[in-house]
Amino acid sequence: MSQLKQLLAQHNVNVPEDFLEKIGQYKALLEKWNKIHNLTGAKTLQQIDQFILDAVIPITFLPSVKKAMDIGTGAGFPGMILAIALPQTHFTLVEPLSKRASFLQFVKADLGLSNVDVKALRVEQLSSEPYDLITSRAVTDTEMLLKLSKPFCTEGSLLLFYKGEKVYDEIDETLDYKIIEAENRHYLLIKR
């Protein structure tokens, strides 16, 4: 756990006191489930720590929000990790694959996360309601993410898309956006 603690400190990421303990539980569950269900491409603890760091770096620049949705949470990146780091924010984790949704539900119960709802659906199947923040990582291109997010946006909603270097090819210049660059990630932050 000390490697992750060092990474968080290097990037000035302030997390709650119980974050590392809960992340330790999460990592143990992920390692166990991943052997059977192949939930994520991250196989080593070092890769998982990098995925966790990648997920939480945005808390260094995000404002406080009450209600967030993560589209295509997968094994928990970034939605579950953000939910552990931001206990005051309610997260809806949308994951259509049942094995991943079951894993997320198990993590929620095992860690006692009252700020998490898991929806084992495609985002298009959800009822429209406003969110303060919508996140997504490795799901689809920006244009499609904007379409998928539209029913859940209200004035002032923030969209945070975890992207690679190709983000610059996907930008519509009419958007109110900024790109925050980190070591291996480009965070696209769009304000509605």
Side-chain angles (χ1 to χ4, degrees):
M1 193 53 71
S2 61
Q3 181 198 339
L4 181 58
K5 192 174 184 177
Q6 285 177 331
L7 288 169
L8 293 169
Q10 279 173 6
H11 291 85
N12 298 314
V13 180
N14 293 316
V15 289
E17 219 170 274
D18 64 351
F19 178 79
L20 290 172
E21 181 187 327
K22 285 186 174 173
I23 284 297
Q25 288 175 262
Y26 166 82
K27 285 166 64 173
L29 291 171
L30 181 60
E31 192 175 22
K32 190 174 172 183
W33 279 61
N34 212 24
K35 286 177 185 164
I36 301 160
H37 300 290
N38 193 26
L39 300 174
T40 177
K43 300 297 181 209
T44 68
L45 289 176
Q46 188 177 0
Q47 287 174 316
I48 292 169
D49 281 351
Q50 282 297 326
F51 276 31
I52 292 166
L53 177 67
D54 183 57
V56 295
I57 281 178
I59 66 176
T60 63
F61 59 80
L62 282 174
S64 179
V65 294
K66 285 186 171 36
K67 207 169 142 190
M69 172 197 282
D70 185 37
I71 298 172
T73 305
F77 308 108
M80 183 62 80
I81 307 304
L82 285 171
I84 295 168
L86 301 170
Q88 75 286 0
T89 302
H90 188 275
F91 278 83
T92 300
L93 308 181
V94 183
E95 176 49 56
L97 282 181
S98 60
K99 67 181 181 178
R100 289 181 178 154
S102 295
F103 170 71
L104 296 170
Q105 198 64 51
F106 191 85
V107 169
K108 172 192 170 169
D110 201 60
L111 273 62
L113 300 174
S114 58
N115 65 325
V116 171
D117 275 330
V118 178
K119 302 289 185 188
L121 300 165
R122 295 177 61 81
V123 71
E124 301 92 327
Q125 297 171 298
L126 284 181
S127 301
S128 172
E129 64 176 286
Y131 286 86
D132 305 316
L133 173 67
I134 299 171
T135 61
S136 189
R137 173 185 173 273
V139 171
T140 185
D141 64 39
T142 301
E143 187 179 348
M144 180 55 89
L145 285 171
L146 289 169
K147 285 179 189 160
L148 294 173
S149 303
K150 193 172 183 178
F152 309 101
C153 288
T154 185
E155 192 177 333
S157 290
L158 293 173
L159 307 177
L160 175 63
F161 302 146
Y162 290 60
K163 294 289 187 177
E165 292 171 8
K166 291 185 179 172
V167 68
Y168 293 101
D169 302 334
E170 297 181 11
I171 293 299
D172 175 346
E173 293 300 329
T174 63
L175 296 170
D176 180 4
Y177 76 93
K178 66 177 159 184
I179 296 170
I180 296 94
E181 292 186 22
E183 212 171 303
N184 301 310
R185 172 70 62 203
H186 292 72
Y187 299 96
L188 174 59
L189 187 63
I190 300 169
K191 188 172 183 181
R192 287 313 215 177

Short mmCIF file of all heavy atoms in Angstrom, two decimals, residues 23-33:
data_model
loop_
_atom_site.label_atom_id
_atom_site.label_comp_id
_atom_site.label_asym_id
_atom_site.label_seq_id
_atom_site.Cartn_x
_atom_site.Cartn_y
_atom_site.Cartn_z
N ILE A 23 -9.32 0.98 -0.09
CA ILE A 23 -8.70 0.62 -1.36
C ILE A 23 -7.99 -0.73 -1.22
O ILE A 23 -7.99 -1.54 -2.15
CB ILE A 23 -7.75 1.72 -1.86
CG1 ILE A 23 -8.56 2.89 -2.44
CG2 ILE A 23 -6.76 1.20 -2.90
CD1 ILE A 23 -9.41 2.59 -3.66
N GLY A 24 -7.41 -0.98 -0.07
CA GLY A 24 -6.77 -2.28 0.18
C GLY A 24 -7.79 -3.40 0.08
O GLY A 24 -7.53 -4.45 -0.54
N GLN A 25 -8.98 -3.20 0.66
CA GLN A 25 -10.06 -4.18 0.56
C GLN A 25 -10.50 -4.35 -0.90
O GLN A 25 -10.69 -5.47 -1.37
CB GLN A 25 -11.26 -3.73 1.40
CG GLN A 25 -11.08 -3.80 2.89
CD GLN A 25 -12.29 -3.20 3.60
OE1 GLN A 25 -12.27 -2.05 4.02
NE2 GLN A 25 -13.35 -3.98 3.70
N TYR A 26 -10.66 -3.22 -1.57
CA TYR A 26 -11.06 -3.24 -2.98
C TYR A 26 -10.06 -4.05 -3.81
O TYR A 26 -10.43 -4.89 -4.63
CB TYR A 26 -11.20 -1.81 -3.52
CG TYR A 26 -11.28 -1.74 -5.02
CD1 TYR A 26 -12.48 -1.96 -5.67
CD2 TYR A 26 -10.14 -1.49 -5.79
CE1 TYR A 26 -12.56 -1.93 -7.06
CE2 TYR A 26 -10.21 -1.45 -7.16
CZ TYR A 26 -11.41 -1.67 -7.80
OH TYR A 26 -11.48 -1.65 -9.17
N LYS A 27 -8.77 -3.77 -3.61
CA LYS A 27 -7.72 -4.45 -4.39
C LYS A 27 -7.74 -5.97 -4.13
O LYS A 27 -7.57 -6.76 -5.06
CB LYS A 27 -6.34 -3.86 -4.07
CG LYS A 27 -6.11 -2.51 -4.70
CD LYS A 27 -4.92 -1.76 -4.14
CE LYS A 27 -3.60 -2.41 -4.37
NZ LYS A 27 -2.47 -1.55 -3.96
N ALA A 28 -7.94 -6.36 -2.89
CA ALA A 28 -8.00 -7.79 -2.55
C ALA A 28 -9.18 -8.45 -3.26
O ALA A 28 -9.05 -9.55 -3.82
CB ALA A 28 -8.10 -7.97 -1.04
N LEU A 29 -10.32 -7.77 -3.26
CA LEU A 29 -11.50 -8.31 -3.96
C LEU A 29 -11.27 -8.38 -5.46
O LEU A 29 -11.63 -9.37 -6.11
CB LEU A 29 -12.74 -7.45 -3.65
CG LEU A 29 -13.27 -7.50 -2.22
CD1 LEU A 29 -14.34 -6.43 -2.01
CD2 LEU A 29 -13.81 -8.88 -1.90
N LEU A 30 -10.68 -7.32 -6.00
CA LEU A 30 -10.42 -7.29 -7.45
C LEU A 30 -9.48 -8.42 -7.85
O LEU A 30 -9.72 -9.11 -8.85
CB LEU A 30 -9.84 -5.93 -7.85
CG LEU A 30 -9.53 -5.76 -9.34
CD1 LEU A 30 -10.80 -5.90 -10.18
CD2 LEU A 30 -8.90 -4.39 -9.60
N GLU A 31 -8.44 -8.61 -7.07
CA GLU A 31 -7.48 -9.68 -7.39
C GLU A 31 -8.17 -11.05 -7.39
O GLU A 31 -7.97 -11.86 -8.29
CB GLU A 31 -6.34 -9.64 -6.36
CG GLU A 31 -5.15 -10.51 -6.74
CD GLU A 31 -3.99 -10.37 -5.77
OE1 GLU A 31 -4.21 -9.95 -4.61
OE2 GLU A 31 -2.87 -10.67 -6.18
N LYS A 32 -9.01 -11.27 -6.40
CA LYS A 32 -9.72 -12.54 -6.27
C LYS A 32 -10.71 -12.75 -7.44
O LYS A 32 -10.71 -13.79 -8.09
CB LYS A 32 -10.47 -12.53 -4.93
CG LYS A 32 -11.07 -13.82 -4.50
CD LYS A 32 -11.63 -13.65 -3.10
CE LYS A 32 -12.44 -14.84 -2.67
NZ LYS A 32 -13.03 -14.64 -1.35
N TRP A 33 -11.54 -11.75 -7.70
CA TRP A 33 -12.56 -11.86 -8.75
C TRP A 33 -11.93 -11.88 -10.15
O TRP A 33 -12.43 -12.53 -11.05
CB TRP A 33 -13.54 -10.68 -8.66
CG TRP A 33 -14.61 -10.83 -7.63
CD1 TRP A 33 -14.44 -10.97 -6.28
CD2 TRP A 33 -16.01 -10.84 -7.85
NE1 TRP A 33 -15.66 -11.05 -5.65
CE2 TRP A 33 -16.64 -10.97 -6.60
CE3 TRP A 33 -16.81 -10.72 -8.99
CZ2 TRP A 33 -18.02 -11.01 -6.45
CZ3 TRP A 33 -18.19 -10.75 -8.85
CH2 TRP A 33 -18.79 -10.90 -7.59
#
